[in-house]
C-alpha cells in the first residue's frame, strides 16, 4: 500500500458529476466507466448540486470579492508594520 493517491482535475470531476446528474447511467456504471469508486461519483454529484445553488444565490462573485479582501489584508498588513515601527521608535525615546 505504498501507492499515491490519485488527484483528479476539476474538469474530470465536473464531467463525471454532470453525467451523474443526467441520470442516464447508474452510479455503479459511471464508476466502472471512469475507473473510480462509486462514493466518489456520489460525492462529486453532491458537490455539484451545492455549487448550483451557489450560482443562483449570487455567491458566484466570490472570487472577485476574494481579490478585494486580499488587497484589503495587504493594506492592513502594511499599516500594522508602520505602527510597529512607530511603537518601537517611541519606546526607545
Amino acid at each position: 500500500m505504498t501507492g499515491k493517491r490519485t488527484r483528479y482535475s476539476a474538469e474530470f470531476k465536473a464531467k463525471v458529476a454532470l453525467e451523474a446528474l443526467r441520470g442516464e447511467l447508474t452510479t455503479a456504471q459511471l464508476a466502472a466507466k471512469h475507473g473510480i469508486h462509486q462514493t466518489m461519483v456520489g460525492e462529486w454529484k453532491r458537490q455539484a448540486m451545492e455549487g448550483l445553488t451557489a450560482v443562483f444565490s449570487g455567491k458566484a462573485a466570490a472570487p472577485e470579492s476574494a481579490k478585494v479582501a486580499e488587497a484589503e489584508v495587504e493594506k492592513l498588513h502594511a499599516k500594522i508594520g508602520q505602527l510597529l515601527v512607530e511603537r518601537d521608535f517611541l519606546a526607545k525615546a
Side-chain angles (χ1 to χ4, degrees), residues 52-81:
L52 286 176
T53 57
V55 168
F56 293 110
S57 69
K59 293 182 182 174
E64 295 172 7
S65 64
K67 290 179 183 178
V68 172
E70 187 175 327
E72 183 70 22
V73 167
E74 288 295 323
K75 189 169 92 173
L76 291 172
H77 279 134
K79 184 66 174 176
I80 290 170

Side-chain angles (χ1 to χ4, degrees), residues 11-45:
E11 293 83 19
F12 178 74
K13 291 178 183 181
K15 178 180 146 185
V16 173
L18 187 59
E19 287 183 29
L21 288 172
R22 286 187 188 139
E24 295 171 354
L25 298 173
T26 66
T27 304
Q29 290 171 333
L30 282 173
K33 176 182 174 184
H34 295 289
I36 57 176
H37 198 271
Q38 293 179 14
T39 57
M40 294 172 117
V41 175
E43 181 66 20
W44 295 344
K45 181 179 175 182

